[in-house]
């Protein structure tokens, strides 16, 4: 069961971006990855049972990949009442169900 979704930013040695990217895509818990420009070279979405599993994934599977120099985990937060969407079914503006906040009385 996947209850935790995180995004891992990965910095690599110059010239190792594509090899690290390909290695990350082979990981069972990595749902997707993209090459980036800037300090971090790759972003990967991971889905694991909990925060500790994400830390273990980064420590045991991502950091040991040859060429990885730095990682940063961005955690997601689930809030009660917020919708959760299946990949590819993100809502459009027309699908929003938010109630508008009334303007303050003058």
């Amino acid at each position: 069961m996947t209850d935790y979704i995180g995004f891992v930013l990965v910095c690599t040695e110059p010239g190792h971006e594509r090899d690290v990217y390909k290695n990350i895509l082979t990981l069972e818990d990595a749902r997707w990855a993209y090459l980036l420009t800037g300090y971090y070279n790759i972003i990967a979405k991971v889905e694991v049972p909990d925060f500790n599993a994400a830390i273990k994934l980064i420590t045991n599977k991502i950091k040991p990949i040859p060429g990885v120099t730095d990682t940063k985990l961005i955690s997601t937060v689930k809030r009660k009442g917020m919708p959760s969407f299946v990949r590819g079914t993100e809502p459009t503006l027309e699908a929003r169900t938010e109630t508008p906040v009334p303007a303050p009385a003058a």
Side-chain angles (χ1 to χ4, degrees):
M1 182 161 119
T2 301
D3 285 333
Y4 179 86
I5 297 172
F7 297 90
V8 183
L9 295 169
V10 182
C11 184
T12 68
E13 294 175 1
H16 288 82
E17 300 89 349
R18 291 194 185 278
D19 290 335
V20 172
Y21 166 79
K22 289 176 184 176
N23 273 290
I24 289 172
L25 288 176
T26 67
L27 300 175
E28 180 180 338
D29 297 319
R31 298 297 175 247
W32 51 254
Y34 287 95
L35 291 167
L36 305 173
T37 59
Y39 180 76
Y40 290 99
N41 306 106
I42 300 163
I43 185 169
K45 179 182 179 183
V46 297
E47 295 181 8
V48 291
D50 55 37
F51 176 78
N52 289 331
I55 297 300
K56 287 179 185 176
L57 175 68
I58 293 168
T59 303
N60 298 332
K61 304 270 175 122
I62 296 177
K63 285 188 175 187
I65 296 172
V68 172
T69 60
D70 190 20
T71 61
K72 182 174 294 262
L73 175 63
I74 301 171
S75 295
T76 59
V77 178
K78 284 188 176 181
R79 292 179 49 166
K80 188 174 182 173
M82 290 185 70
S84 179
F85 301 98
V86 176
R87 186 178 330 158
T89 63
E90 291 80 10
T92 62
L93 288 176
E94 295 78 27
R96 296 175 81 178
T97 59
E98 298 171 355
T99 304
V101 176

